[in-house]
Amino acid sequence: NMLDAGVHFGHRIQRWNPAMAPYIYGHKNGIHIIDILQTARCLRTACDFLADSSQRRILFVGTKRSAAYLVELAAEGCGSSAHFINHRWLGGFLTNWETMRGCIYRLNTLQPDLATNKKERLQLMKQQARLDKFFRGVKDMRSKPEILVIVGQVEELSAVKESCKLGIPNITLVDTDCNPQLATYPIPGNDDSVRSIQFVLSTLVQARNS
């Protein structure tokens, strides 16, 4: 299944992070090939962790095009204790949580329909739309997440660093240009392919719900 999903395809050999060397099987036609035996082992470790943490709050993060819709589906598949960010990670989302929680509260309490005039109503609708764009996937999150699942470490480096700073474990799909040392539970694999991301996330969701 992993081979069919293309999980083993890395980036071009010029775009690699030497820290990924232990997870690389070789290369073909200038493309690094990821060792899927290690992918399977790491995925199982991450799944075991999630299975033992079924009551903990989890946040799925993935803002690049190939991941955005899939992290939303994954969060929905995990129930009310799971949330997602798939538009843009706002710096300080974790480390400046009180401010972010205020924004979420504002999103949940805005009522443009109660505006006293058209101008005020339009202003509130604009503000609501902007807040919804950034916080739609976390509007029901009342406190900081206890686990992060990250797709696209290079793109989500701020999320990675904040989780590390606060000691929040992160499960990260790491491609050959990533640093697995920044992940609590690295899963070596293709983080660009929709099928690869879908395979990994669906496996994690199944473990979470087991």
Side-chain angles (χ1 to χ4, degrees), residues 44 74 123 148 198:
R44 172 47 53 196
Q123 289 176 337
L148 263 65
Q198 186 175 34

Side-chain angles (χ1 to χ4, degrees), residues 50-70:
L50 282 182
D52 293 336
S53 310
S54 59
Q55 303 304 313
R56 300 172 71 181
R57 294 181 301 279
I58 183 170
L59 177 63
F60 289 85
V61 182
T63 61
K64 60 184 181 180
R65 183 174 299 178
S66 57
Y69 179 61
L70 296 176

Side-chain angles (χ1 to χ4, degrees), residues 1-207:
N1 289 339
M2 284 192 288
L3 288 173
D4 291 339
V7 175
H8 59 299
F9 290 121
H11 288 288
R12 299 195 66 82
I13 57 177
Q14 294 89 351
R15 287 183 57 198
W16 82 305
N17 188 321
M20 282 295 294
Y23 301 102
I24 295 176
Y25 176 79
H27 60 85
K28 183 177 181 180
N29 298 326
I31 302 293
H32 270 133
I33 304 299
I34 295 168
D35 184 349
I36 60 170
L37 292 180
Q38 297 210 54
T39 301
R41 176 180 58 81
C42 292
L43 185 57
R44 172 47 53 196
T45 300
C47 285
D48 289 344
F49 170 68
L50 282 182
D52 293 336
S53 310
S54 59
Q55 303 304 313
R56 300 172 71 181
R57 294 181 301 279
I58 183 170
L59 177 63
F60 289 85
V61 182
T63 61
K64 60 184 181 180
R65 183 174 299 178
S66 57
Y69 179 61
L70 296 176
V71 299
E72 180 175 352
L73 285 182
E76 291 175 351
C78 289
S80 60
S81 61
H83 312 275
F84 67 91
I85 291 178
N86 66 351
H87 178 73
R88 175 188 165 194
W89 180 271
L90 295 178
F93 183 80
L94 296 177
T95 54
N96 192 18
W97 170 247
E98 290 305 315
T99 297
M100 297 299 167
R101 186 163 65 173
C103 293
I104 294 170
Y105 176 80
R106 178 65 174 162
L107 171 61
N108 289 326
T109 55
L110 273 175
Q111 295 180 295
D113 292 339
L114 299 182
T116 56
N117 57 66
K118 183 178 180 180
K119 182 179 179 180
E120 182 186 5
R121 182 171 181 270
L122 290 174
Q123 289 176 337
L124 291 176
M125 289 177 64
K126 185 177 180 180
Q127 184 180 2
Q128 186 180 53
R130 177 172 173 77
L131 289 170
D132 188 70
K133 182 168 63 173
F134 293 112
F135 298 104
R136 178 173 64 88
V138 295
K139 65 181 180 180
D140 295 322
M141 193 165 74
R142 300 292 178 255
S143 54
K144 283 183 287 192
E146 297 168 290
I147 302 169
L148 263 65
V149 174
I150 300 171
V151 177
Q153 187 191 72
V154 173
E155 292 81 3
E156 315 303 342
L157 198 55
S158 292
V160 173
K161 289 181 176 179
E162 289 186 39
S163 70
C164 291
K165 182 177 181 178
L166 296 178
I168 300 173
N170 73 77
I171 299 169
T172 305
L173 180 59
V174 289
D175 211 324
T176 54
D177 61 344
C178 298
N179 183 356
Q181 297 170 3
L182 295 177
T184 317
Y185 297 94
I187 301 172
N190 185 343
D191 69 0
D192 292 312
S193 162
V194 169
R195 292 182 67 191
S196 173
I197 297 169
Q198 186 175 34
F199 175 85
V200 171
L201 289 181
S202 63
T203 304
L204 293 175
V205 170
Q206 288 175 16

